[in-house]
Amino acid sequence: MPSLPPQPLSPLDGRYRAAVAPLADYLSEAGLNRARVEVEVEWLITLTDSSLFGTRPLSPEDKDRLRVLYLDFGQAEIDWLAEKEAVTRHDVKAVEYLVRDRLSALGLDRIAELTHFACTSEDINSTAYALTVKRAVHDVWLPKLREVIAALGRLADEHRDAAMLARTHGQPATPTTMGKELAVFAGRLERVVRGIQASEYLAKFSGATGTWSAHLAADPQVNWPLITREFIERLGLDFNPLTTQIESHDWQVELYDRARHAGGILHNLATDIWTYISLGYFAQIPVAGATGSSTMPHKINPIRFENAEANLEISGGLFATLASTLVTSRLQRDLTDSTTQRNIGVAFGHSLLALDNLLRGLGEISLRRDVLLADLDANWEVLAEAIQTVVRAEIAAGRSQITDPYALLKDLTRGRRVGAPELAEFVRGLDIGDQAKERLLALTPAGYVGLAAELVPPAR
């Protein structure tokens, strides 16, 4: 069989490209190389700003021309690096050669020897990864997650008073409202987002084994830890002064665990919404021209939630692998992290794809309050909790001689349906005060929702 033209192996670069494309600006190989160039350029500027080794600060114009190397990083640089790496067999060395080449073109050969000065590759890599991951999370992934939370918040607010039958262990239980149940998911996600928002993005810049040895050999009078800390912090990152050759990646472990946690909550949301759709609680809004089934014309399949569910499982697995792998490095350095970190974009890509599907899915459902009410009306036995609790209160107040009210209600309701007339007859025969009896007789499953509506925060 003849070969196909070159094809993307990953669905993220094929079928789902449009949904995840913004991540590629940061978490692709080209995005990583652009950040590496940025680090090399800004380190050059830092060294010359400090007038080290007889240099003098660059003019504002020269700094601007130098920064163009990463601000206008594009296909020409991508191709140049690919050709150079084919020779060097070292990605960071290829970046160094690119910067040196461009310095010559800019007439800045006088500072060429300060390119990659006293750096190990991991000084550049740890900083570049911290930059790209931070930007991807803050500019792309978190905003999409917040969109999902906002959509949940709006639905929760809209349906705050939509009474529905709860199901614990899959069985009819004390009623709640759809709004409150959706608000639970929004609240859970907001808590995780606060943790992600507070994440550190650590970088190291202390040389081959984290000791600033080469720096001190070049000039023992310079406060290298201070210069490198200020350099990293000017880039908007957090500085790690105590490392081996690599930054220990603990911040990444923490971040990916939090992202996986958010994904677990979203997975729970996807399966719950899918179940509500299967119960008829939500109707799916038809999309013009869409086909639900290739053979059954009536069907509208909950594909948004199924797609999200599957992609959250993939991303969760990848985040777990990233966290468990990156936490360990043999002695002062091994290369397991190198290939592992190249999959950061894949993990966030599947997560972003899931978020995109959830956001679309939440916009394509409509609550069927009539179905909720019919379900409640078919399950009057859920008021057994209210009745036995009121009886207990009446006993405590000295207005009833009933013994073991729980057993009394269990005998009436367990394993069987009890209708409104039967329950009303039972209440009228109870040995309790008249006011309590009136409250119970006025109660319906739809009215037995406690503070559910008040628990839903207003939509923002």
Side-chain angles (χ1 to χ4, degrees), residues 225-279:
L226 178 62
I227 285 179
T228 49
R229 174 185 289 276
E230 289 177 345
F231 166 64
I232 293 299
E233 291 178 350
R234 275 198 301 274
L235 292 173
L237 303 174
D238 303 289
F239 184 63
N240 188 348
L242 191 59
T243 71
T244 60
Q245 183 175 97
I246 69 165
E247 198 288 319
S248 304
H249 305 322
D250 292 323
W251 70 267
Q252 292 194 60
V253 173
E254 293 162 1
L255 174 64
Y256 305 146
D257 276 341
R258 289 180 177 128
R260 183 175 56 84
H261 184 181
I265 296 168
L266 292 164
H267 187 279
N268 193 180
L269 171 68
T271 56
D272 272 15
I273 296 292
W274 186 98
T275 304
Y276 290 140
I277 291 170
S278 74
L279 291 170

Side-chain angles (χ1 to χ4, degrees), residues 124-308:
I124 307 303
N125 279 338
S126 77
T127 310
Y129 271 115
L131 285 171
T132 55
V133 173
K134 181 178 183 178
R135 289 164 179 171
V137 169
H138 284 261
D139 295 350
V140 181
W141 185 76
L142 262 182
K144 184 65 76 171
L145 176 54
R146 288 196 180 98
E147 283 187 66
V148 171
I149 295 171
L152 274 175
R154 289 191 295 272
L155 285 172
D157 192 17
E158 180 183 354
H159 304 314
R160 64 171 55 241
D161 62 348
M164 75 172 194
L165 186 69
R167 281 178 167 81
T168 58
H169 310 281
Q171 307 303 307
T174 299
T176 179
T177 70
M178 179 60 79
K180 196 274 283 184
E181 299 309 307
L182 296 177
V184 168
F185 283 109
R188 293 174 69 190
L189 289 166
E190 284 172 349
R191 181 175 177 275
V192 178
V193 164
R194 287 195 295 272
I196 293 171
Q197 188 67 48
S199 294
E200 292 180 296
Y201 295 83
L202 288 162
K204 57 90 65 174
F205 222 78
S206 48
T209 56
T211 60
W212 285 279
S213 297
H215 305 70
L216 289 172
D219 192 336
Q221 303 305 313
V222 174
N223 188 341
W224 290 105
L226 178 62
I227 285 179
T228 49
R229 174 185 289 276
E230 289 177 345
F231 166 64
I232 293 299
E233 291 178 350
R234 275 198 301 274
L235 292 173
L237 303 174
D238 303 289
F239 184 63
N240 188 348
L242 191 59
T243 71
T244 60
Q245 183 175 97
I246 69 165
E247 198 288 319
S248 304
H249 305 322
D250 292 323
W251 70 267
Q252 292 194 60
V253 173
E254 293 162 1
L255 174 64
Y256 305 146
D257 276 341
R258 289 180 177 128
R260 183 175 56 84
H261 184 181
I265 296 168
L266 292 164
H267 187 279
N268 193 180
L269 171 68
T271 56
D272 272 15
I273 296 292
W274 186 98
T275 304
Y276 290 140
I277 291 170
S278 74
L279 291 170
Y281 286 7
F282 282 115
Q284 295 182 94
I285 301 169
V287 176
T291 298
S293 166
S294 62
T295 186
M296 294 175 280
H298 70 283
K299 291 184 69 181
I300 305 176
N301 295 331
I303 57 172
R304 294 297 179 194
F305 301 101
E306 292 169 342
N307 186 301

Side-chain angles (χ1 to χ4, degrees), residues 11-22 24:
L12 296 180
D13 291 318
R15 183 181 184 90
Y16 303 126
R17 175 70 183 177
V20 302

